[in-house]
Structures are given as structure tokens and as C-alpha cells.
Amino acid sequence: MGDKGFVGTRGRVVAAGAVALLLAGCGGGDGKAAALDKGQVASVLPDAKAVPGWRNHMKPEAQKPVPDYPPTVCVARTKEQRDTACTPVTSWGVSAFVRKADATTLNFWTLAYKDEKAADAAYDVLIKWYGGDRVGRNAEKVEIGSPGAEREANRAAVGTMAGPATIAQIRVGTTVLGISTGTTGKVAVPDKEVKAFAAMFAERAQQAQNGEKPSAALPSS
């Protein structure tokens, strides 16, 4: 992924100062989800066809982590936490979009693990970074339904792009997924839209773990 980074994000997390989530009813907590390889991780990430109305800023791309250099979207407070959440990552990837008018950004990222136990432990560490008011001061919970086995989403009135921002994290089987949205304007991406992103992304992760080619997409407007 070189040095392109996510569109408009927060500190080390190369991603928009906003955020997001994933799908209701998808995900695995039964210990039977399959581990994904690099190609499958790339296929999980939404492309331009999956999010009509948004311009693709960074095409879906996945890679294997380089020793001593954890994925840029894997952020933890301590070395022990990094050893739990980042060192076990088998493959990871990102895709990013932008919508003109108020320069609203939309970012997706996926972290893949060898099994659900590892993904579960990583989720617990990563939510300490991405959860709560990490998106901005006085962040509030965003209702995104019940995607995956675990999930949390928060929104702040002022994120790193100076406008409303949201960040969501969800675990679907052996993957930990993230979505962020941000804007330089004053209007937040609506909960309904964020929930749709979440559902679509989580479904793609579940399809890949079921051995299928991810095909979930948002309907054309």
C-alpha cells in the first residue's frame, strides 16, 4: 500500500476522522469460521461497485505484515497489546473512497487472524484504541444493529477533518473490520447509511469465510 494512506484520518491510523461498522446477523462466534489468505482479504474490501456514488480513492489492496512493522490500522497502547492484536495478523488490507461536495471520506480496513480466538483477543485490544471518544471529544454511541460477534461504533461532532466523524469496529469470525467516515462539512453521514456500510462489509467478510466470492454491495441510488 506504500505511503498512500487512508483519506483524511487520525494520527497513526491513516483513516478518516470518522467511522463505521458492520452487519447485522453476520459473523461467526461458533469457532467454525475459516482463516482468510491475502487474496481473500483483498476480496472482502469493498470496491467501487460495492459502494455506488463514491469515488474510489484507494483500490482494495491487501498484504502480509512485515515483521517489526505492524499494519498501520493496527494500533495499540502497549507492546503487550501490540503482541496480542498486531503480531498475530496474517493478512490485512484497506480501501478508501471520497464523495465530493463536502469532501466526505469513507474508509474500510480488514485484519485477518488464524482463528476466532486470536481475532477475539485482538478485538478486545483494538476497541480500546478505536472505541469510546477516540473519534473525538464527547463521542456518542451509534446504533448499528448487531453485526458479527462483537461490535462498537461511536461518532463525534468534530473529528480530525473538523466535521462530524464516526468510527466502528466489528468482529466477523476470524476477522476484525473497521469503517470510518469523516467530513470537512457540518453534516454527518447518517446512521442509516453507516448501518448499510456495516451490513454490506460484514456480509462480504462472512461470504469469504464461507468459501464464497464476496458479492455483497449497496444498492444503486
Side-chain angles (χ1 to χ4, degrees), residues 42-58:
S43 74
V44 167
L45 294 162
D47 57 13
K49 292 181 179 179
V51 284
W54 293 79
R55 179 172 62 82
N56 197 195
H57 170 77
M58 181 187 296

Side-chain angles (χ1 to χ4, degrees), residues 4 22 29 43 54 102 108 176 183 202 218:
K4 289 197 284 188
L22 315 222
S43 74
W54 293 79
D102 57 2
F108 298 91
V176 175
T183 181
L218 299 180

Side-chain angles (χ1 to χ4, degrees), residues 6 12-14 65 69-78 81-89 91-94 109-113 122-123 125-126 129-130 169 176:
F6 273 3
R12 292 179 55 194
V13 238
V14 288
Y69 293 95
T72 54
V73 292
C74 189
V75 186
R77 300 174 187 274
T78 67
Q81 290 178 334
R82 288 193 295 274
D83 288 343
T84 297
C86 305
T87 301
V89 171
S91 294
W92 67 284
V94 302
W109 61 94
T110 301
L111 295 164
Y113 297 86
Y123 177 95
V125 167
L126 294 171
W129 180 267
Y130 284 112
Q169 177 176 291
V176 175

